[in-house]
Amino acid sequence: ANTLKNCEIRIRGLKDNPLQIENFDKEYSNSTNYVLFPCANSIEISKVEFPKEKPMTLFIPDGNWNQGAKIAKKLNKNQNIIPIKLPQDSQSIYQLRSNPNKHKVSTFEAAINALKYIEKSTLKTDNAMNLFKKMISQVLILRGKKNGAKRGT
């Protein structure tokens, strides 16, 4: 939320303020709505014509892959939310955790890559990706690693 303009974070699982995913169709009825998650019925983002005249909302589930899939499944039940996904050639640079599937990217990477398609520009997203790379580099240094290699190697 600190790096993206017009970003709102909604937290699921709060005891006193539960997230009502079922009500998103009413809450976001004035916008064209998308959920970014690789599901069987997701449209590749490069094939989507995003509206210029109408506001749009992009839902990006966060959490581990199982949690994200559950949220995406609930959102996919809503006919007013269009499921989209990144291209298959997307690859993660996130070195802090590993995944055997190189096409599974972090939530932050997914958001930045999606914005490249939505905004049709890399100018705005380059700064955010540079911040992401810097964060990864700094965490690796704190862990005693530099550029993914152990200290002394």
Side-chain angles (χ1 to χ4, degrees), residues 133-147:
K133 288 176 183 176
K134 180 79 171 171
M135 184 271 306
I136 292 169
S137 174
Q138 294 300 307
V139 171
L140 288 173
I141 289 169
L142 288 171
R143 289 182 179 176
K145 300 175 181 180
K146 178 89 169 143
N147 296 328

Side-chain angles (χ1 to χ4, degrees), residues 28-70:
Y28 295 95
S29 61
N30 293 330
S31 65
T32 304
N33 304 306
Y34 303 91
V35 58
L36 182 66
F37 199 84
C39 299
N41 63 335
S42 296
I43 303 165
E44 188 174 300
I45 195 169
S46 63
K47 296 180 173 115
V48 176
E49 264 312 308
F50 293 100
K52 294 184 185 348
E53 69 287 340
K54 187 176 178 183
M56 69 162 285
T57 302
L58 178 63
F59 299 101
I60 306 174
D62 190 25
N64 65 38
W65 277 93
N66 289 335
Q67 292 167 335
K70 285 179 186 177

Side-chain angles (χ1 to χ4, degrees), residues 38 65 86-106 109-110 113:
W65 277 93
L86 294 175
Q88 281 292 337
D89 63 352
S90 299
Q91 288 197 7
S92 180
I93 62 165
Y94 192 59
Q95 300 170 355
L96 304 180
R97 291 190 198 148
S98 63
N99 190 306
N101 185 337
K102 300 246 184 262
H103 300 294
K104 289 187 174 182
V105 299
S106 69
E109 288 171 300
N113 286 323

